[in-house]
Amino acid sequence: MVVLSRPDLDVKESIKFELAEYLRALFTSDGNLRHCVAKSKLMNILEDLLPQQQPSPQQPSPVIEHGRQVIIIDAMAVVQSMGKPTWVKTGRDLANHFVEIIARRSTGVSEVHVVFDCYDVPNALKERTRLVRQGAERPIVYQISADAVIAKVTMKQLLCCKENKQALALYFASHVIECKKDMQTAFIVTSERDCLSSNSLPVEQLRSEQEEADTRILLHAVDCTRRGASSIIIQSPDTDVLVLVLWIYRQLCPDILVMVGTGGKRRSVAVGPLYEALGEDLVKALPGFHAFSGCDQTGTICGKSKVSCWNTLTKAKQPVLNAFSTLGSSTVISEYTQKMLESYVCQLYIPSTELTSIQEVRWLLFSKKQRTDEQLPPTQAALCQMVRRANYVSLAWKSCDSQYPSLPDPTLHGWKHDGDRLQAVPTTLPPAPKAVLQLIKCGCKGKCITMSCSCRKHSLKCTDMCTSCHLNCENRNTDTTENDDSDDEDLYV
């Protein structure tokens, strides 16, 4: 309404701005990325491509003669789902419960790899996801040890914060090695950046600074293949793991299964047949597509499910697939890749459209369809930050076969520091054209020195429209020369 009331403003040009403090297509009202709650839908999509669903085995397949079968387990996924029986009274009881589950899932194999997340990595992107899951309730930090009395402590309380998870991972890792020491089956367990072995098997090549078990699992799978594994079973319910196993499949032994799901819905996915069903072009595009369309670190687009994003991808032309494939290949995103991903978003909002400019799509949906801000696609500036984040996450994923991945500073790739955690950058543009921003006024009766002043909150100086604060205001320009206008313009470039 403000824009329409100003004849000196180009309404169509204004649509390139968010016209809000945070773009609602990508962010919640408090400035956080929209949480991706349905990324597992991609798992269902991929499974449906298989000729027929693989049966869910009660135990791993028999060991191939003269072969070596390996199982790699997402340890924290086990912890999250194992529950806490009534007989568990101490930390040692809980650790024994964990070891029993690992033993049941790994009978008859040569090696068992138990992979935990790494919690001491600075600038961890997963920290935001952990805080979302933690909620607003202040967590209680517990001292986890063998003799710790936890009879009245629930698993939810034990897993309520990073500090507790880290303590559990460290204690469980040492307990597995203690229980399985010198057994015929080798147990290899990660412990923060270190890696422990229950026998003399060398594990120096598995020490790593990988932040997430999702990627570190693939480091172990590649190493097992190099050492002659004939069959690998990866047990992880995470969609990210299946995506990465498909992407790196050519570096792994041909006989590889991924056990997905939890509880009674556990099932196996044969990676080889799924790779063939997808085809090489889609497999190459998969990590970039998954990071762009919605994962824990990058959030999701309002109203655009994995299913609709996937349907748009399968109808996309080869240049769009190539653009998704290039995400994570370099720290630099080419203008051509940016343009192809912009055209993909145009198709996502208006299927079969000939429009390739997101600004044109925003204008069409706003002017002809009366779409709300949540229903409009991201602005071009916001999309640029979105692509940067997807590229960074893809870069981390595609470094899964590296012990010490060399990742750039995330603050150069779509994030900024917010205290001790990372916050996504919404855009590099102001929320609205300067002429509109100047119409913002506060109702302060004081000096406008706190963030409760709406002008200061939007990084604006108070103007003559702010009639309540004009006597005492300390948020006004004291020099009104023409040079001030030029300086103000520079702020919005």
Side-chain angles (χ1 to χ4, degrees), residues 209-242:
E209 292 181 351
Q210 297 276 5
E211 175 188 343
E212 294 195 64
D214 298 354
T215 50
R216 199 166 179 176
I217 282 171
L218 274 298
L219 177 68
H220 285 241
V222 170
D223 179 69
C224 291
T225 300
R226 289 172 180 164
R227 292 188 292 104
S230 56
S231 177
I232 298 175
I233 297 176
I234 295 175
Q235 297 184 5
S236 173
D238 201 308
T239 305
D240 300 354
V241 174
L242 180 59

Side-chain angles (χ1 to χ4, degrees), residues 432-492:
K434 182 183 176 183
V436 174
L437 291 174
Q438 288 178 333
L439 295 180
I440 294 177
K441 63 177 182 178
C442 71
C444 303
K445 296 182 179 180
K447 297 182 179 181
C448 300
I449 58 176
T450 68
M451 294 306 289
S452 62
C453 171
S454 58
C455 295
R456 186 178 287 276
K457 180 179 178 180
H458 290 87
S459 302
L460 297 173
K461 295 294 183 181
C462 292
T463 68
D464 291 340
M465 294 184 66
C466 306
T467 57
S468 300
C469 68
H470 67 283
L471 293 177
N472 301 316
C473 183
E474 295 184 9
N475 188 43
R476 289 175 181 255
N477 284 320
T478 55
D479 186 356
T480 58
T481 63
E482 290 184 0
N483 288 335
D484 283 339
D485 290 337
S486 298
D487 291 340
D488 289 343
E489 289 287 351
D490 292 340
L491 290 175
Y492 302 120

Side-chain angles (χ1 to χ4, degrees), residues 57 76 136 161 276 281 330 465:
M76 194 49 69
C161 64
E276 297 301 327
D281 288 340
S330 169
M465 294 184 66

